[in-house]
Amino acid sequence: MSLSPAVILILLLNLPFLCYGGITSSYVRQKYASTSMPLEAFPPPPGYNAPEQVHITQGDRGGRGMIISWVTPVKRHPNVVKYWKADSHGTDKHKLRHATIEGLEYDTKYVYELGHGNTTRQFSFTTPPKVGPDVPYTFGIIGDVGQTRDSNQTLEHYMANLKKGQTVLFVGDLSYADDHPFHDQRRWDTWGRFVEKSAAYQPWIFAAGNHELDFAPQIERISNIRYNITNGLSTPIRDPSAPVYFILGDGGDIEGRADNFTVPQPDYSAYREASFGHAILEIKNHTHAYFTWNRNQDDVSIEADSTWFFNRYWHPKNESRFINV
């Protein structure tokens, strides 16, 4: 998106930034829009009616379910998914092309299979550990991806990160089909094939962005966030119980750099940078979490920005010496 990148709202950790604030990075990515990859860059898998655009997401709140979705481009059949634990030989079946598998074991690798005969395709996933107050869990966070050459670099960079998430939180603006002539719906197919290399192996949880409102070009952008501190009508105040907002850098969209920063940088803004990349949110336990930003042009092990968070309910702490608000 050209005016503002996607926003993720961290509700589970009610704590301000633990940093010194007011930093604008000297790094600025290319000004011009990224180049869209051609449709031919994302061919369907070989074989007649082969399953494609495979993606999974968590199927229940307890962590013992997984939803598997896929597309068969010509016929509805075969519409069965087979699955088994990676260290076993027995199989179970679920029908339909949008199947919820339940009763899985915690922290266990499963293999699943789609298709039939020479179009059979096999994938795998690992279920989350049993929920508990001090059970660590890691999320990858990506947004504004599209399907440009920078998009590909973002996804490859994330997948190569040794700390990549157990689940991806995708914070909006998926295919950017609405930015192509006549809202080219083929771009949804190619995007599904593009992200399959990650989305078929770990859960992706999606939020809709303004680029998902592509039914009618005349629709104005809609936001469910009324509070706006840049329009002069509101003023930020210190509120220890408030959620924390991250405005994530683009993952590779085709609209060019979003660099309309407020000048001078407001004191409520802790850190800002115009870069492509991905984020990692590590929930360490019930009191601590660690957030990092990884830029595309850096080695995957380099953290361009990072900060710790405390759960204020379980770990009350006065941060007044760390932050400027």
Coordinates of all heavy atoms in Angstrom, one line a residue, residues 50-88:
A50 N -4.0 -31.5 -10.8 CA -3.1 -31.7 -9.6 C -3.5 -30.6 -8.5 O -3.8 -29.5 -8.9 CB -1.7 -31.5 -10.0
P51 N -3.6 -31.0 -7.3 CA -3.9 -30.1 -6.2 C -2.8 -29.0 -6.2 O -1.6 -29.2 -6.4 CB -3.8 -30.9 -4.9 CG -3.9 -32.3 -5.4 CD -3.3 -32.4 -6.8
E52 N -3.3 -27.7 -5.9 CA -2.3 -26.6 -5.9 C -2.8 -25.6 -4.9 O -3.9 -25.7 -4.3 CB -2.2 -26.0 -7.3 CG -3.5 -25.4 -7.8 CD -3.3 -24.6 -9.1 OE1 -3.2 -25.2 -10.2 OE2 -3.3 -23.4 -9.0
Q53 N -2.0 -24.6 -4.7 CA -2.3 -23.5 -3.7 C -2.6 -24.0 -2.3 O -3.5 -23.5 -1.6 CB -3.4 -22.6 -4.3 CG -3.2 -22.1 -5.7 CD -4.4 -21.3 -6.2 OE1 -4.9 -20.5 -5.5 NE2 -4.7 -21.6 -7.5
V54 N -1.8 -25.0 -1.9 CA -2.1 -25.7 -0.6 C -1.7 -24.7 0.5 O -0.6 -24.1 0.5 CB -1.3 -27.0 -0.6 CG1 -1.6 -27.7 0.7 CG2 -1.6 -27.9 -1.8
H55 N -2.5 -24.6 1.5 CA -2.2 -23.8 2.7 C -2.9 -24.3 3.9 O -4.0 -24.9 3.8 CB -2.5 -22.3 2.4 CG -3.9 -22.1 2.0 ND1 -4.4 -22.3 0.7 CD2 -5.0 -21.6 2.7 CE1 -5.7 -22.0 0.6 NE2 -6.1 -21.6 1.8
I56 N -2.3 -24.1 5.1 CA -2.9 -24.7 6.3 C -3.0 -23.5 7.3 O -2.3 -22.5 7.2 CB -2.1 -25.8 6.9 CG1 -0.7 -25.3 7.3 CG2 -2.0 -27.0 5.9 CD1 0.2 -26.4 7.9
T57 N -3.9 -23.7 8.3 CA -4.0 -22.8 9.4 C -4.5 -23.6 10.6 O -5.1 -24.7 10.5 CB -5.0 -21.6 9.1 OG1 -4.8 -20.6 10.0 CG2 -6.4 -22.1 9.0
Q58 N -4.4 -23.0 11.8 CA -4.7 -23.7 13.0 C -6.2 -24.0 13.0 O -7.0 -23.1 12.7 CB -4.3 -22.9 14.2 CG -4.6 -23.6 15.5 CD -3.9 -23.0 16.7 OE1 -2.7 -22.6 16.6 NE2 -4.6 -22.8 17.8
G59 N -6.6 -25.2 13.4 CA -8.0 -25.6 13.3 C -8.8 -25.5 14.6 O -10.1 -25.7 14.6
D60 N -8.2 -25.2 15.7 CA -8.9 -25.0 17.0 C -8.1 -24.2 17.9 O -6.9 -23.9 17.7 CB -9.3 -26.4 17.6 CG -8.1 -27.2 18.0 OD1 -7.0 -26.7 18.0 OD2 -8.3 -28.4 18.4
R61 N -8.7 -23.9 19.1 CA -8.0 -23.0 20.0 C -7.0 -23.8 20.9 O -6.1 -23.2 21.4 CB -9.0 -22.3 20.9 CG -10.0 -21.4 20.2 CD -11.0 -20.7 21.1 NE -10.3 -19.9 22.1 CZ -10.9 -19.2 23.1 NH1 -12.2 -19.3 23.2 NH2 -10.2 -18.5 24.0
G62 N -7.2 -25.1 21.0 CA -6.3 -25.9 21.8 C -5.0 -26.4 21.2 O -4.1 -26.9 21.9
G63 N -4.9 -26.2 19.9 CA -3.7 -26.7 19.2 C -3.7 -28.1 18.7 O -2.7 -28.6 18.2
R64 N -4.9 -28.8 18.7 CA -4.9 -30.1 18.2 C -5.7 -30.3 16.9 O -6.1 -31.4 16.5 CB -5.5 -31.0 19.3 CG -4.7 -31.1 20.6 CD -5.3 -32.1 21.6 NE -5.2 -33.4 21.0 CZ -5.8 -34.5 21.5 NH1 -6.6 -34.4 22.6 NH2 -5.7 -35.7 21.0
G65 N -5.9 -29.2 16.2 CA -6.6 -29.2 15.0 C -5.8 -28.5 13.9 O -5.1 -27.5 14.2
M66 N -6.0 -28.9 12.6 CA -5.4 -28.2 11.5 C -6.3 -28.2 10.4 O -7.0 -29.2 10.0 CB -4.1 -28.9 11.1 CG -3.2 -28.1 10.2 SD -2.4 -26.7 11.1 CE -1.3 -27.5 12.3
I67 N -6.5 -27.0 9.7 CA -7.3 -26.9 8.5 C -6.4 -26.9 7.3 O -5.5 -26.1 7.2 CB -8.1 -25.5 8.6 CG1 -9.1 -25.5 9.8 CG2 -8.9 -25.4 7.3 CD1 -9.8 -24.2 10.0
I68 N -6.7 -27.8 6.4 CA -5.9 -27.9 5.2 C -6.8 -27.5 4.0 O -8.0 -28.0 3.9 CB -5.4 -29.3 5.0 CG1 -4.6 -29.8 6.1 CG2 -4.7 -29.5 3.6 CD1 -4.1 -31.2 6.1
S69 N -6.4 -26.6 3.2 CA -7.1 -26.1 2.1 C -6.3 -26.2 0.8 O -5.1 -26.0 0.8 CB -7.6 -24.6 2.3 OG -8.3 -24.5 3.5
W70 N -7.0 -26.5 -0.3 CA -6.3 -26.6 -1.6 C -7.3 -26.4 -2.8 O -8.5 -26.3 -2.5 CB -5.6 -27.9 -1.7 CG -6.4 -29.1 -1.9 CD1 -6.8 -29.8 -3.0 CD2 -7.1 -29.8 -0.8 NE1 -7.6 -30.9 -2.8 CE2 -7.8 -30.9 -1.4 CE3 -7.2 -29.7 0.6 CZ2 -8.6 -31.8 -0.7 CZ3 -7.9 -30.6 1.3 CH2 -8.6 -31.7 0.7
V71 N -6.7 -26.3 -3.9 CA -7.5 -26.1 -5.1 C -7.2 -27.2 -6.1 O -6.1 -27.6 -6.3 CB -7.2 -24.7 -5.8 CG1 -7.8 -24.6 -7.2 CG2 -7.6 -23.6 -4.9
T72 N -8.3 -27.7 -6.8 CA -8.1 -28.6 -7.9 C -8.8 -27.8 -9.1 O -9.9 -27.5 -9.1 CB -8.9 -29.9 -7.7 OG1 -10.2 -29.7 -7.2 CG2 -8.1 -30.8 -6.7
P73 N -8.0 -27.5 -10.1 CA -8.4 -26.5 -11.1 C -9.4 -27.0 -12.1 O -10.1 -26.1 -12.7 CB -7.1 -26.1 -11.8 CG -6.2 -27.3 -11.6 CD -6.6 -27.9 -10.3
V74 N -9.6 -28.3 -12.3 CA -10.5 -28.8 -13.3 C -11.7 -29.5 -12.8 O -12.8 -29.1 -13.1 CB -9.7 -29.7 -14.3 CG1 -10.7 -30.1 -15.4 CG2 -8.5 -29.0 -14.9
K75 N -11.5 -30.5 -11.9 CA -12.6 -31.3 -11.3 C -12.5 -31.2 -9.8 O -11.5 -30.9 -9.2 CB -12.5 -32.7 -11.8 CG -12.6 -32.9 -13.3 CD -12.6 -34.4 -13.6 CE -12.8 -34.7 -15.1 NZ -12.7 -36.2 -15.4
R76 N -13.7 -31.4 -9.2 CA -13.8 -31.4 -7.8 C -13.1 -32.6 -7.1 O -12.7 -32.5 -5.9 CB -15.2 -31.4 -7.3 CG -16.0 -30.2 -7.7 CD -17.4 -30.2 -7.1 NE -17.3 -30.2 -5.7 CZ -18.4 -30.3 -4.9 NH1 -19.6 -30.5 -5.4 NH2 -18.3 -30.3 -3.6
H77 N -12.9 -33.6 -7.9 CA -12.3 -34.9 -7.3 C -10.9 -35.0 -7.9 O -10.6 -34.6 -9.0 CB -13.1 -36.1 -7.6 CG -14.5 -36.0 -7.1 ND1 -14.8 -36.3 -5.8 CD2 -15.7 -35.6 -7.6 CE1 -16.1 -36.1 -5.5 NE2 -16.7 -35.7 -6.7
P78 N -10.0 -35.6 -7.1 CA -10.2 -36.2 -5.8 C -10.2 -35.1 -4.7 O -9.5 -34.1 -4.8 CB -9.0 -37.1 -5.6 CG -7.9 -36.4 -6.4 CD -8.6 -35.9 -7.6
N79 N -11.1 -35.3 -3.7 CA -11.3 -34.4 -2.7 C -11.0 -35.0 -1.3 O -11.8 -34.8 -0.3 CB -12.7 -33.8 -2.7 CG -13.8 -34.9 -2.6 OD1 -13.5 -36.1 -2.7 ND2 -15.0 -34.5 -2.4
V80 N -10.0 -35.7 -1.2 CA -9.6 -36.4 0.0 C -8.2 -36.0 0.4 O -7.3 -35.9 -0.4 CB -9.7 -37.9 -0.2 CG1 -9.1 -38.7 1.0 CG2 -11.1 -38.4 -0.4
V81 N -8.0 -35.8 1.7 CA -6.6 -35.6 2.2 C -6.3 -36.8 3.1 O -7.1 -37.2 4.0 CB -6.5 -34.3 3.0 CG1 -7.5 -34.1 4.1 CG2 -5.1 -34.2 3.6
K82 N -5.2 -37.4 2.9 CA -4.7 -38.5 3.8 C -3.6 -37.9 4.7 O -2.8 -37.1 4.3 CB -4.1 -39.6 3.0 CG -5.1 -40.3 2.0 CD -4.4 -41.4 1.2 CE -5.3 -42.0 0.2 NZ -4.7 -43.0 -0.7
Y83 N -3.5 -38.4 5.9 CA -2.5 -37.8 6.8 C -2.1 -38.9 7.8 O -2.9 -39.8 8.1 CB -3.0 -36.6 7.6 CG -4.2 -36.9 8.5 CD1 -4.0 -37.0 9.9 CD2 -5.5 -36.9 8.1 CE1 -5.0 -37.3 10.8 CE2 -6.6 -37.2 8.9 CZ -6.3 -37.4 10.3 OH -7.3 -37.6 11.1
W84 N -0.9 -38.8 8.3 CA -0.4 -39.7 9.3 C 0.8 -39.1 10.0 O 1.4 -38.1 9.5 CB 0.1 -41.0 8.6 CG 1.1 -40.9 7.6 CD1 2.5 -41.0 7.7 CD2 0.9 -40.6 6.2 NE1 3.1 -40.8 6.5 CE2 2.2 -40.5 5.5 CE3 -0.2 -40.4 5.4 CZ2 2.4 -40.3 4.2 CZ3 0.0 -40.1 4.0 CH2 1.2 -40.1 3.4
K85 N 1.1 -39.6 11.2 CA 2.3 -39.2 11.9 C 3.5 -39.6 11.2 O 3.6 -40.6 10.6 CB 2.3 -39.7 13.3 CG 1.3 -39.2 14.3 CD 1.6 -39.4 15.7 CE 1.6 -40.9 16.1 NZ 1.8 -41.1 17.5
A86 N 4.5 -38.7 11.2 CA 5.7 -38.9 10.3 C 6.4 -40.2 10.7 O 7.1 -40.8 9.9 CB 6.6 -37.7 10.5
D87 N 6.3 -40.6 12.0 CA 7.0 -41.9 12.4 C 6.1 -43.1 12.4 O 6.5 -44.1 13.0 CB 7.7 -41.7 13.7 CG 6.6 -41.3 14.8 OD1 5.4 -41.1 14.4 OD2 7.0 -41.2 16.0
S88 N 5.0 -43.0 11.7 CA 4.0 -44.2 11.7 C 3.7 -44.5 10.2 O 4.1 -43.8 9.3 CB 2.8 -43.9 12.5 OG 2.0 -42.9 11.8

